[in-house]
Amino acid sequence: MSSAMIRAYCHKVIKLSGVLQTYAPEKECCENVHGVRQDFIQEGRRRALDAASLSGTNSATSELNEEVEGQVYFIGKILWAKGFELMLQLQEFYHECTGKYFAIDVYGGGPEEGEIKRAFHGRRNSWNGEESDSDSDSEDTFRDNLKKLKSIEVPKSLYEWRRKPIPANFCGPVDHSLLGKYKTFVNPSTSEVLCTTTFEALAMGKFVIIPVHESNKFFLQFPNCLGYRNKWEFAANLRWALTHEPEPLTPELAKEFTWEAATDRLIRSSAITRREAKERYNLGKAKLDERIAYFHRELGKHDALRRVLGGGPASNQVRYELERQGLDQENSEKFAMSSFVKAIKSTFISNNHHSQATSLSGGSAA
């Protein structure tokens, strides 16, 4: 149904990335028509000015220490669908390569935050600090232990049984523009259409480590975007990011993040060139689109399509709108009988009588 409606009523379909389904291939194109707030671009310019003032130390990679914490972060909803299982796998591989986990600060919240925390820290470390220090009698101690046993959740993943915790700090929700202290943004998620936080991190002049995926295709053009195809490339990119400084944000690159540039991309993508029009004509699907539109309009005239789809007659939409706004037929009748409506009616009636009297007097004078 969606494909039919798009074919009938759309001349051009602009998708944010290629992960979205195909509706009408000859009408579609992929383009990022989003921008970011000026706060992120200003942070990128600030970093560029700092880099220019310290240009003598930019090439001195020996002074950069990959052991320093507070360099890597993630921001987003705390859900397994956001790539946390992939991040755990990358942590384990990085540990195999270097003998240590990389420290990361996680910002955000979500319904699966508790189990994801246990997957990073382990159940044993999650229980630390929960033991009671009270010196009550044995009966109270038994009741407390029984309550703890009832509160224990079934493990959602094998990662919860880890003995060595991963140095991950879960810091809660925060505005992304306030995280200017970090240097590297890691986002292993492949479930996005177009990740806004990735775009914001690039606008702030940071390293961004993301998988080479159709949803990340637009970001790979930027010099600070470090894409990886496998775990080896991820480990190499992370080591590079921890021992180097990002490229300063140039004015040309900064413009790409603005909403003005996004509007230009939208206008450019929405245009139909003569070559595209000729290709569409040669495909011969214009007649099909017109027939779909005609068929949809004819069925809609007598509510036949709505009945087939279980929507009911269009007259029910009035009742639906009243219910949605917290009104009903009785309230609408009360409104019709209110003093406000009566005053308006009386005004129109008096004006009508006055105009009629004027016309009669004018006729008698003639």
Side-chain angles (χ1 to χ4, degrees):
M1 179 58 68
S2 298
S3 299
M5 294 300 98
I6 288 175
R7 297 208 66 90
Y9 299 112
C10 295
H11 293 90
K12 195 68 176 283
V13 180
I14 303 174
K15 301 193 296 187
L16 291 177
S17 69
V19 300
L20 295 173
Q21 68 183 92
T22 299
Y23 297 100
E26 74 278 6
K27 298 182 179 182
E28 295 178 357
C29 68
C30 293
E31 187 60 82
N32 178 13
V33 293
H34 274 276
V36 300
R37 299 191 336 243
Q38 283 295 323
D39 298 341
F40 300 102
I41 301 175
Q42 290 174 2
E43 172 62 21
R45 290 169 177 164
R46 183 194 67 78
R47 284 174 170 265
L49 291 175
D50 293 345
S53 61
L54 301 174
S55 59
T57 61
N58 280 347
S59 59
T61 58
S62 60
E63 297 181 4
L64 299 175
N65 186 5
E66 62 176 316
E67 303 290 338
V68 177
E69 296 186 2
Q71 299 188 75
V72 183
Y73 77 105
F74 168 86
I75 184 170
K77 287 187 176 180
I78 312 299
L79 299 171
W80 285 112
K82 295 300 182 180
F84 279 97
E85 186 172 0
L86 295 172
M87 187 179 293
L88 287 166
Q89 295 174 6
L90 295 173
Q91 285 275 10
E92 296 296 340
F93 185 79
Y94 191 82
H95 182 266
E96 293 177 8
C97 295
T98 63
K100 58 183 179 298
Y101 298 109
F102 62 89
I104 184 169
D105 292 341
V106 180
Y107 290 89
E112 299 172 348
E113 183 176 356
E115 58 192 75
I116 292 175
K117 278 184 180 180
R118 293 193 297 271
F120 276 84
H121 299 157
R123 296 182 72 88
R124 181 180 303 177
N125 295 278
S126 298
W127 292 338
N128 288 342
E130 297 180 0
E131 298 180 358
S132 176
D133 296 331
S134 61
D135 296 330
S136 59
D137 55 14
S138 60
E139 185 178 354
D140 292 339
T141 304
F142 175 76
R143 290 176 180 175
D144 293 339
N145 291 334
L146 186 60
K147 289 181 180 179
K148 288 180 181 180
L149 287 174
K150 290 182 179 179
S151 64
I152 293 176
E153 297 182 7
V154 178
K156 300 297 192 303
S157 66
L158 295 177
Y159 294 107
E160 295 188 23
W161 298 108
R162 67 170 64 253
R163 294 184 177 180
K164 189 175 182 180
I166 294 174
N169 300 317
F170 289 81
C171 308
V174 71
D175 188 350
H176 193 184
S177 63
L178 302 177
L179 303 180
K181 62 179 181 178
Y182 295 95
K183 187 175 68 170
T184 305
F185 175 71
V186 174
N187 184 14
S189 175
T190 57
S191 63
E192 312 287 346
V193 176
L194 186 80
C195 186
T196 306
T197 53
T198 299
F199 203 28
E200 292 169 351
L202 286 170
M204 297 170 78
K206 301 176 181 180
F207 281 125
V208 167
I209 303 178
I210 54 177
V212 177
H213 187 258
E214 192 67 30
S215 60
N216 295 325
K217 190 174 181 180
F218 177 82
F219 306 131
L220 297 174
Q221 62 178 309
F222 297 99
N224 289 329
C225 183
L226 307 177
Y228 64 91
R229 297 176 180 83
N230 50 57
K231 297 177 182 178
W232 289 99
E233 291 186 1
F234 171 83
N237 288 343
L238 182 58
R239 173 126 173 76
W240 172 270
L242 294 175
T243 56
H244 292 75
E245 289 292 341
E247 290 289 331
L249 191 67
T250 62
E252 293 77 15
L253 285 178
K255 185 179 179 181
E256 293 296 318
F257 300 102
T258 62
W259 280 102
E260 289 79 4
T263 305
D264 293 339
R265 291 193 293 266
L266 174 62
I267 295 172
R268 185 170 60 250
S269 302
S270 60
I272 301 175
T273 63
R274 293 184 177 181
R275 181 179 179 180
E276 291 177 344
K278 186 176 180 180
E279 291 176 353
R280 293 187 187 183
Y281 178 79
N282 293 334
L283 287 174
K285 292 188 176 181
K287 289 292 183 181
L288 174 63
D289 298 345
E290 293 175 2
R291 289 168 184 169
I292 293 174
Y294 172 79
F295 182 71
H296 180 253
R297 287 196 300 269
E298 290 300 315
L299 286 180
K301 287 181 179 179
H302 307 288
D303 290 331
L305 181 61
R306 295 183 57 83
R307 290 193 180 95
V308 170
L309 298 177
S315 59
N316 286 346
Q317 288 196 0
V318 177
R319 189 181 300 110
Y320 167 75
E321 284 295 328
L322 289 174
E323 293 176 355
R324 190 176 66 86
Q325 297 175 14
L327 303 174
D328 52 20
Q329 194 70 22
E330 182 181 356
N331 288 331
S332 61
E333 292 176 358
K334 288 181 178 179
F335 177 74
M337 299 300 296
S338 64
S339 59
F340 176 72
V341 176
K342 288 181 179 179
I344 294 177
K345 288 182 178 180
S346 62
T347 302
F348 280 110
I349 292 173
S350 61
N351 289 338
N352 189 21
H353 288 326
H354 179 70
S355 61
Q356 289 179 358
T358 303
S359 60
L360 288 174
S361 62
S364 60

